[in-house]
Amino acid sequence: MSVKHALLALLEKPRYGYELRAEFEQRTGASWPLNVGQVYTTLSRLERDGLVEAGGTDAEGRSLYQLTEAGQAEVKGWFDTPVERTQPQRDELAIKLAVAVAVPSVDVGKVVQQQRNATMQALQGYRRQARSGAGDDLPGGLVLDRLVFAAEAEIRWLDHCESRLRRAAASSTAPEPVQPEGESR
Amino acid sequence: MSEPVLRLTDVSRVHGTGAAEVHALRGVSLAAYAGELVAIMGPSGSGKSSLLTIAGGLDSPTSGSVEVAGQDLDEAGISGRAKLRRTSVGYVFQDFNLIPALTAAENVALPLELDGAGRRAAQKAARAALDEVGLDGFADRFPDEMSGGQRQRIAIARAIVGDRRLILADEPTGALDTETGEDILRLIRARCDAGAAGVLVTHEPRYASWADRVIYVRDGLVVDEAGETPDAALAEEVEA
Amino acid sequence: MSGRLAGWRLALRLGQREARRAKWRSLLVILMIALPVAGVTTVAVTYQTYDLDTAEGLDRRIGTEAAAIVDVQSGGAVRQGIDPDNASEWIDDPEGDLLDAAGVRSIIGDRPMLSMTDRTFDVRTDKGVSWVRGLQTDLSDPLAAGLARLTDGRLPKGDDEVVVNSALALRGPGIGEELLIPRGETDEVLEVVGIVESTTVRDDPFVAGPALPTDYPDEGSTWLVGGGPVTWPDIVDLNAEGAFVLSRSVVQHPSAEALANDKDIRPPSSAPQASELVIVVLIVVMVVLEVVLLAGPAFAVAARRQARDLALIAASGGTARQSRRVLLGMAIVIGAVAAVIGAVLGVVLAKLLQPLAQRQVSDWFGPFEVPWLQVLLVAVIGFAAAICAAVVPAWIASRQNVVGVLAGRRSESLPSRRSPVIGLLLIVTGIASAAFGSQNAFNGIPIALGVLLCVAGLLFILPALVSLAARLSAGLPLAIRFATRDADRHRTRTVPAAGAIAVTVVGVVTLGIAFTSDEAQNQASYLQSFRIGDGVVHQRHSDWGDTDPDQLATRWQNVAAQVEKAIPGSTATPTTGASIVEENRYLGVETDDGEEVPLDTALGEFGDLIVADPDGSLPPSASRALSEREVAVAEETLRSSGAVVFTSDADLVSTKSVHLIVREFSEESEEDRDVVTVDVPASYIEISDRVAPAHAVVTPAVVEKLGVEPQIRGLYVEDADISAEAQTDLDEALAAGQFSTTMQVERGYEQPDATLIAWLLLVTLGAVLMIGGALTATHLALNDARPDLATLSAVGARTRTRRAVAAAYALVVAVLGAVPGALVGFVPGIAISYPITTEGWPQRTDVDPHYLEIPWGIIGIVVVGLPLLIALIVAVTTRSRLPMVARVE
């Protein structure tokens, strides 16, 4: 993923640097902060590569950037290509759990629960953000949803880990009483 | 701080006896305060639904006590618990449990009518509740003629009609798609924000995250809790 | 699925499983079909056993040994069928010499013969005097074997010995006692030596002996004939001489000729009466429809239970027919089981009930006999009813919305718009047919047809009515609204149940109107003989020997004393009347202008003329029939030596004189001749539809002038209002008196017990069916509504709400059935009242040609009372606790 392509895409109409940053943050729901310096560095790199060009100033004298033809081709190419499913990166959580299972002195259940609690709190945070109006516009909402889904997936994965751990524990030690329970569903 | 709307103290529930004995709940304590939504999470068979049926007075604990709106359910007796369900507690089920022979408005008016309210007054309140859940104009339809999301809205309207202080929702989104489920949670959340206490049983983190607190239940025990009690939340809000 | 059988095999297997899985529901259906089958079978078997045909009754009539019985009835030729009791004809004038024993022997050869004669006469009992049936024959003769069974003592040896049956022995003369037969002043005495049971007489008192008394000279003679078979040609020869024959060999092995003759003479069985036909049709239709309609809802529930299976069958490529078969398969299994159980149960029940049934009738039952064909027919009808009951639910199930069922929706389709129209058309046709039949066309068959059409129409309209009720229920209390709407949602269950109730109500209302209208007519057309509560006493036999007036007066005074003693508070007055007794003479009552005074009603009990006391007071037999004013006028007239004349012509009331004429009709001249004419002043009293005490009340002087002998003709008893039992006792006592009299009390119109009992039975049956139908429907409905009741509980319904809902279910079904049923019942009810109440004889101007009386009370009970009662029963018997578990569906 690149900020470069996102900025390029937003330059469908000529914008100056600060405006570009505000637009980006608004669209992504402020969940992805950029500093202005980063924006100008990127713009100058894009200008160097011939993808954008400075095109005059606005009424207040700020210099506007606009796409070159090569830039337009680059944007089109970006949208036309699916985002590559990268290899599971160095996922700290996965590694932590894998190690925890191997080390007898660690209470894996506790690790799972702590992580789940933390993720749930993050999820609640996203939810609060959404309710406070951060996700009300469509682009922002979509980005926020992405975070919610990711957190949700993580919790589900943690739930899954827990039940596998329990099953493993049950088959290695004395079988725990199964609990069909009064619940009908 | 104020008294909780719902308080379970050391509640146990055992089904069956002898070899067939099953412990659904083993000494659970929890409280829900006005204005907060509490989610109860756990895998199936963890006892979360038992917790809710006991909180709603549909089932009685083997030991421990349940208080709703300051009233002890055991002392209230069968008719007292029924009265509480008519007046103070709204229950939302996974499969809606609407009465197919009654119209949307009549279903919503049911608790009021059962409580002896006049038909006209009950209908008026029911229509107001239907408006609140966005079903104005559907009052005279029968549940069969409506979609799952609409039916669950009727059920929620039925749970909030009148001045309910406690809403108990048992997997209210179970039969619905994600978007419709979100809408349902928004309605429950809004009710809690308006001052009711809510308890939501779910196994989906997405919906649990609507709650102020998430309580994890495993094998009939509360194992952990995420989120702050109302006091802390209030303090934070004041600071912010 | 290969072939037809494979389809049915699957259907039957699924049906059997479902029937077993829902044990209680299946049992309910089996009972609903088996019980009527058993009931009808029991009745059929009992009747067949009770009913004797000639072959079965042969031993009873001719014993076990005789070859035939020969009964000489006529001096001329006769004709007969196989059994002369069933088919006989007199051909020639019966005047002539009767065949004697020698004559019989001359025709059929020299055979052993035993004379046998039936008699009736009086014997003394413990309470007084009673009629007995007598058999005069020598029971010890071998030919008499099998006519009577000796249970105690021995058979008579001499002419002064008799045997009696136990019924008579219980009422008086037992073994070793004397049997007293009143003969005028003295009693004839016979000795009872044994107890027998006659093969033909069971409850009535019975006496048998070689010499029994008789009041009448023997006319004809009857013999038991022994020897070889009496053949059909023998019978023909005996017929030619005026003798009827019942021959064992001809009965058992009738020749073709005998059969032809029998068919020729036997009178055609009479066509049933209009009203009877309608009632029979009504009852049969009621019972069959009842079975179909009551079993229907159970199948409808089964159909819904199986809806998912059926939908799956459809989803995996099954045809509608295959879906239908699954339910029909269940109906076949259940129907067959129920029909067999019902038939077996019925036969067993009939066997067990035989002693009980025997006690209810006075004839001996025949050998236990099962009419297999009828039983089979009844069983087949039961089986067919089960199939019929399943057809509609099966049809609906096979056409269900597959997607809807699999998605868990359980709504029913809207009722067809066409069916209420068809229903209305059927009802209109039914009304027209009934109206046509009410004019007595085609023996009332159109009325029966009208009943069928109206009931069918009603069943077509009911679904629309149920929907309408659901729509109208919006403003009603929750429980009723809930029940009505639910009834509408489950029309396949509701309509048959309500229909069953409606059919019952149609029957009850129709029969109710018929019954009360008939009774109204009987009541209105009843003619009382004298004032209600009064009585009269007459002599028991016309002949008392001597007629000395003083002795007669003394006798009557004694009887009067006896009556007054027996009935406290009564007054018995000897009443003198005068009748012309000479042959060919009669009394004429005419006005001045020679017109006969019209008197259309029946005459009283004391003769043509009642003779007033010499002091001019009116005897009670007349005064009790008149108003005070009329009595005053009458006594005024009598004191001035006039006559009080009764007439049915109101115009004559102002007439002031009368001609009383003794006329004689001369056979030679064929003309009337006035013998004596007496003109007296008179007052006329219009008697309208009352019974006239006599033609006129006259003074002794007038009677004397007419030359008619006045005589005490009986007692008029004022205030003789006693119970029927007391009257029977008094009557027996009066009969036993040396001076044998009999008493009659006017009680006004009395409903015949049998009609009343039949009517009450029908109403009870109707009520039981109604209650049963409503309870079944309610039970099924509540079973279905379990999830909804759980929901009610979850939103805080009180514990009694379940009772309220259950009661509302019952009420809704009962009312939906009863109200339209009652309305439709008016149609055949009113129609049938015409043929029932128009038969009146003699024609009377004061009686309406048609009576219509609606039994509002009964209808009210059926339409309002029973539904409330049913609701109450349901409310009381329903567990009030709501199910607490959330729905599991």
Side-chain angles (χ1 to χ4, degrees), chain C residues 277-346:
Chain C
L277 185 76
V278 173
I279 287 168
V280 167
V281 166
L282 207 60
I283 291 174
V284 169
V285 167
M286 248 172 83
V287 169
V288 171
L289 272 180
E290 211 74 51
V291 170
V292 170
L293 293 173
L294 282 181
F299 282 118
V301 169
R304 229 190 14 269
R305 284 285 153 86
Q306 282 182 301
R308 219 184 140 73
D309 297 357
L310 298 183
L312 283 172
I313 287 178
S316 41
T319 62
R321 180 185 299 177
Q322 281 162 335
S323 304
R324 265 200 304 279
R325 277 184 189 165
V326 173
L327 203 67
L328 287 180
M330 184 167 127
I332 289 173
V333 172
I334 285 183
V337 170
V340 170
I341 289 179
V344 171
L345 196 69

Side-chain angles (χ1 to χ4, degrees), chain C residues 52-367:
Chain C
L52 282 179
D53 60 20
T54 303
E56 285 172 346
L58 202 60
D59 284 355
R60 298 185 181 188
R61 289 160 67 187
I62 69 174
T64 49
E65 294 303 317
I69 189 165
V70 176
D71 186 13
V72 179
Q73 291 265 342
S74 168
V78 295
R79 252 182 102 195
Q80 70 167 84
I82 291 168
D83 182 350
D85 279 6
N86 292 342
S88 58
E89 268 180 21
W90 273 255
I91 298 174
D92 290 342
D93 183 4
E95 303 296 325
D97 292 335
L98 296 174
L99 215 56
D100 58 9
V104 172
R105 285 203 176 93
S106 71
I107 296 171
I108 53 170
D110 191 16
R111 295 160 179 265
M113 284 172 69
L114 172 66
S115 169
M116 187 173 107
T117 314
D118 286 327
R119 298 198 185 286
T120 49
F121 50 91
D122 277 355
V123 301
R124 291 201 186 278
T125 62
D126 289 349
K127 285 226 176 107
V129 165
S130 167
W131 289 93
V132 296
R133 294 166 66 172
L135 175 65
Q136 177 178 295
T137 194
D138 179 8
L139 285 177
S140 58
D141 190 288
L143 277 180
L147 288 180
R149 185 166 47 90
L150 187 71
T151 56
D152 200 3
R154 59 175 177 81
L155 292 173
K157 283 180 183 148
D159 279 359
D160 56 349
E161 291 180 344
V162 289
V163 287
V164 299
N165 71 348
S166 54
L168 179 56
L170 280 176
R171 288 163 66 167
I175 293 185
E177 292 173 356
E178 288 181 335
L179 183 72
L180 301 177
I181 299 158
R183 309 294 298 163
E185 302 285 318
T186 55
D187 285 346
E188 195 175 324
V189 181
L190 294 169
E191 195 193 348
V192 179
V193 295
I195 307 288
V196 295
E197 290 308 329
S198 159
T199 49
T200 50
V201 181
R202 202 178 84 91
D203 282 351
D204 293 338
F206 171 81
V207 178
L212 297 179
T214 175
D215 291 337
Y216 310 100
D218 280 356
E219 291 217 4
S221 311
T222 309
W223 293 275
L224 287 170
V225 176
V230 174
T231 61
W232 181 251
D234 292 339
I235 292 178
V236 173
D237 292 345
L238 283 164
N239 283 170
E241 297 299 324
F244 289 112
V245 184
L246 178 67
S247 158
R248 191 185 303 276
S249 75
V250 171
V251 167
Q252 285 169 345
H253 312 287
S255 64
E257 204 186 341
L259 287 171
N261 226 39
D262 193 61
K263 198 177 165 196
D264 194 28
I265 303 182
R266 192 186 275 258
S269 34
S270 53
Q273 269 227 306
S275 44
E276 285 170 13
L277 185 76
V278 173
I279 287 168
V280 167
V281 166
L282 207 60
I283 291 174
V284 169
V285 167
M286 248 172 83
V287 169
V288 171
L289 272 180
E290 211 74 51
V291 170
V292 170
L293 293 173
L294 282 181
F299 282 118
V301 169
R304 229 190 14 269
R305 284 285 153 86
Q306 282 182 301
R308 219 184 140 73
D309 297 357
L310 298 183
L312 283 172
I313 287 178
S316 41
T319 62
R321 180 185 299 177
Q322 281 162 335
S323 304
R324 265 200 304 279
R325 277 184 189 165
V326 173
L327 203 67
L328 287 180
M330 184 167 127
I332 289 173
V333 172
I334 285 183
V337 170
V340 170
I341 289 179
V344 171
L345 196 69
V347 173
V348 171
L349 218 61
K351 179 82 190 160
L352 292 179
L353 289 179
Q354 205 181 337
L356 199 72
Q358 175 71 83
R359 243 176 281 160
Q360 309 303 314
V361 296
S362 57
D363 291 324
W364 291 105
F365 271 29

Side-chain angles (χ1 to χ4, degrees), chain C residues 766-792:
Chain C
V768 167
L769 283 176
M770 246 182 104
I771 292 173
L775 291 186
T776 311
T778 306
H779 173 77
L780 293 173
L782 283 182
N783 219 6
D784 260 9
R786 244 143 75 184
D788 293 343
L789 291 171
T791 301
L792 275 179

Side-chain angles (χ1 to χ4, degrees), chain C residues 677-763:
Chain C
T677 305
V678 177
D679 296 351
V680 283
S683 59
Y684 284 72
I685 289 171
E686 197 230 329
I687 207 76
S688 69
D689 64 342
R690 290 173 287 175
V691 168
H695 280 294
V697 184
V698 294
T699 57
V702 172
V703 181
E704 205 174 318
K705 273 188 214 162
L706 280 170
V708 183
E709 189 75 31
Q711 196 183 30
I712 297 179
R713 304 191 55 104
L715 302 176
Y716 189 88
V717 188
E718 293 165 75
D719 305 316
D721 205 0
I722 50 171
S723 71
E725 296 79 41
Q727 190 195 337
T728 312
D729 285 353
L730 178 57
D731 204 37
E732 276 201 21
L734 288 174
Q738 190 192 20
F739 184 66
S740 189
T741 53
T742 178
M743 176 162 178
Q744 176 191 350
V745 174
E746 177 62 63
R747 297 176 186 277
Y749 176 69
E750 287 175 302
Q751 236 168 40
D753 285 350
T755 332
L756 192 67
I757 288 170
W759 164 237
L760 283 179
L761 273 178
L762 266 171
V763 170

Side-chain angles (χ1 to χ4, degrees), chain A residues 117 124 127 156 181 183 185, chain B residues 45 47 49 94 206 211 224 226:
Chain A
N117 224 338
Q124 283 174 298
R127 190 63 81 184
R156 282 173 183 274
E181 180 128 5
E183 282 178 308
R185 290 176 279 282
Chain B
S49 279
Q94 175 173 3
R206 139 185 305 279
D224 199 6

Side-chain angles (χ1 to χ4, degrees), chain C residues 417-434 449-450 452-461 827:
Chain C
R417 278 163 192 281
R418 252 179 312 165
S419 60
V421 177
I422 296 173
L424 277 179
L425 282 177
L426 283 172
I427 287 182
V428 168
T429 318
I431 292 174
S433 175
L449 192 67
L452 289 178
L453 287 171
C454 285
V455 167
L458 182 58
L459 293 180
F460 271 96
I461 291 182
V827 174

